[in-house]
Amino acid sequence: MKCEKCGTEIDSLLVGVFNSDGSDVYLKLPVTECEENAAYIDTDANWTGYELSEEEMRETILCPHCEQFPFKNTEIQVYDIVRVVCFMEDDT
């Protein structure tokens, strides 16, 4: 996809996330284009924009080149996904 602010072709976005010690950092996460002129990134509740207003959420999603919110449309939809992780015996 192209950043709608700087026009650079991008395949990832800088997304603010909390570390386990409570500090925060921007991670480069893959962005996926989909139907309806939309794109999505997969993250979790450690996203620094989680439970913020849409305006505040935009401050946590940046183009890796121009470091601006990369979309002209300001609407953001957040879906809560449940991922279940199970563990196997260690064979060593």
Side-chain angles (χ1 to χ4, degrees):
M1 69 169 261
K2 281 190 178 183
C3 172
E4 294 183 328
K5 300 290 174 60
C6 70
T8 302
E9 190 71 32
I10 54 176
D11 61 2
S12 60
L13 297 173
L14 297 176
V15 179
V17 294
F18 289 112
N19 291 317
S20 57
D21 65 3
S23 64
D24 58 273
V25 66
Y26 279 90
L27 295 180
K28 201 172 198 181
L29 299 179
V31 61
T32 304
E33 282 188 83
C34 53
E35 296 177 7
E36 307 298 327
N37 291 322
Y40 68 88
I41 47 175
D42 287 328
T43 188
D44 57 27
N46 290 323
W47 170 41
T48 59
Y50 193 66
E51 296 184 342
L52 297 179
S53 70
E54 276 191 29
E55 183 178 329
E56 293 169 313
M57 287 177 183
R58 289 191 298 273
E59 296 171 7
T60 70
I61 301 169
L62 307 174
C63 167
H65 295 279
C66 69
E67 296 188 356
Q68 295 183 67
F69 182 69
F71 305 98
K72 289 181 182 176
N73 186 324
T74 59
E75 179 182 358
I76 295 176
Q77 296 178 359
V78 176
Y79 298 90
D80 293 321
I81 306 292
V82 176
R83 176 175 287 161
V84 178
V85 178
C86 300
F87 297 88
M88 299 173 281
E89 282 289 316
D90 188 2
D91 288 341
T92 58

